[in-house]
Amino acid sequence: MQSKELFSQRFAVFRSEAGVASVLGATCPHLGADLSRGRVCGEHLRCPFHGFEFDRAGRCAAIPSEGRPPPRAQTRSLPVREREGLILAWWDEHGRAPSWEPAALETQGWSTLHTRRFELRAHPLSTSENSVDLAHFSSVHGFEALEVLEPARAEGPYLSARYRFVHRFARLPVENLFRVHLWGLGYSLVENLTPSLGLATRLWVLATPTRPGHMELRVGTSTRTRLAVVEGGEQSPWSPAIRGRSLGRATTELIARFALRTLAADVSADFDIWSHRTHVERPALAKGDGAIALYRRWARQFDVSPEPPANPGPTLHTLRARA
Ligand code: FES
Ligand SMILES: [Fe+2]
């Protein structure tokens, strides 16, 4: 059981005895006790005050006294999807049902998911915008020789782009091929290929608004290793052209942990900027800034106020990572 402030409201996040994850509004509709201080009873969440029990849809399913549960005994329930080691919850201010979700990923042959969580002052519009902010890759992260392989492209709630750049490890230049996938403002995935190491890495950056102007930022990594160098990687890095023997489970997990450290360090370099950034409605963009204008047009569909208090529109957010 976890008690979480999400979108400026308190929620109870719990797993039923059958293992199903649920997210319910934490204010008991009976007399206002905090449901996140209750306990799980079978498939229900039991209020610590008078013992009303709520099912995963937020309906009161049982009361300890005689009679039927009051019809108005209903708390908010967020639609939940558990995938690839993540619990994703759909938030829509008006309670509309989910209309999309990120594309499913093949997990066979991949390491487990390794995650780290940060709390910071930032806005999801800022954290996602970095995916297309080409200039900041060198000025903030020190990436070199950045090249756009596929320009940013938006389609409904999805935005993607593909880059090549050089990242230095202990001063050794390592080429990386990045494919960025944004699904709404809460879910960002980078598929990274490092041809010289025969290494594929998935990097998640997941923003969940908590109280106004603040978020929980979760980063995650998973890796897949091959001994052979990728053939034709430039054209199609995710094709079956990745050949060779896997390095073995333990090594793959170790590399995923190392990738997490690197990702956490890279993302941390953005924190101070995000925390003190002001939304500029009409930015003075320079050549080489990347697809900022396209990103902002795309982001409008989520109906998010750019300034705190955040008013998140329909989007998916990660509540908890299960390694
Ligand atoms: S306040 Fe929850 S059952 Fe009474
Ligand atoms: Fe960044």
Side-chain angles (χ1 to χ4, degrees), residues 165-229:
F165 63 87
V166 169
H167 201 178
R168 285 186 185 270
F169 292 97
R171 281 194 263 159
L172 284 176
V174 179
E175 184 198 43
N176 288 277
L177 298 161
F178 247 41
R179 187 183 286 278
V180 174
H181 308 268
L182 296 183
W183 288 92
L185 302 177
Y187 183 103
S188 153
L189 168 69
V190 174
E191 291 181 303
N192 180 32
L193 200 73
T194 313
S196 60
L197 303 177
L199 177 68
T201 316
R202 289 173 175 159
L203 311 166
W204 282 268
V205 179
L206 306 155
T208 304
T210 50
R211 60 202 158 91
H214 291 75
M215 67 161 64
E216 225 181 62
L217 190 78
R218 190 167 273 103
V219 295
T221 54
S222 176
T223 53
R224 183 173 190 172
T225 54
R226 299 279 166 169
L227 285 175
V229 171

Side-chain angles (χ1 to χ4, degrees), residues 77-121:
S77 155
L78 300 188
V80 169
R81 181 77 89 200
E82 193 163 3
R83 305 178 7 178
E84 293 120 23
L86 297 168
I87 297 173
L88 301 168
W90 173 266
W91 168 263
D92 182 285
E93 209 185 353
H94 307 290
R96 287 168 295 203
S99 49
W100 51 266
E101 68 175 285
L105 299 171
E106 173 63 63
T107 52
Q108 193 155 21
W110 287 81
S111 77
T112 51
L113 175 69
H114 297 263
T115 63
R116 193 173 296 176
R117 173 181 164 275
F118 301 93
E119 283 177 34
L120 65 148
R121 186 179 158 74

Side-chain angles (χ1 to χ4, degrees), residues 190-316:
V190 174
E191 291 181 303
N192 180 32
L193 200 73
T194 313
S196 60
L197 303 177
L199 177 68
T201 316
R202 289 173 175 159
L203 311 166
W204 282 268
V205 179
L206 306 155
T208 304
T210 50
R211 60 202 158 91
H214 291 75
M215 67 161 64
E216 225 181 62
L217 190 78
R218 190 167 273 103
V219 295
T221 54
S222 176
T223 53
R224 183 173 190 172
T225 54
R226 299 279 166 169
L227 285 175
V229 171
V230 176
E231 284 181 3
E234 285 184 22
Q235 284 75 37
S236 178
W238 299 98
S239 76
I242 304 174
R243 297 189 311 172
R245 232 160 23 87
S246 170
L247 284 180
R249 192 169 176 81
T251 312
T252 306
E253 295 292 341
L254 205 68
I255 293 173
R257 272 197 206 103
F258 176 75
L260 179 64
R261 281 219 332 245
T262 308
L263 173 64
D266 277 342
V267 171
S268 303
D270 289 306
F271 288 178
D272 194 61
I273 305 279
W274 287 336
S275 298
H276 299 92
R277 196 177 161 193
T278 301
H279 179 76
V280 176
E281 189 60 41
R282 297 184 60 208
L285 294 175
K287 192 164 182 271
D289 273 342
I292 305 270
L294 178 137
Y295 166 83
R296 292 202 172 181
R297 278 197 304 279
W298 170 79
R300 266 187 225 131
Q301 68 183 297
F302 305 111
D303 200 18
V304 177
S305 161
E307 293 297 342
N311 169 28
T315 186
L316 273 169

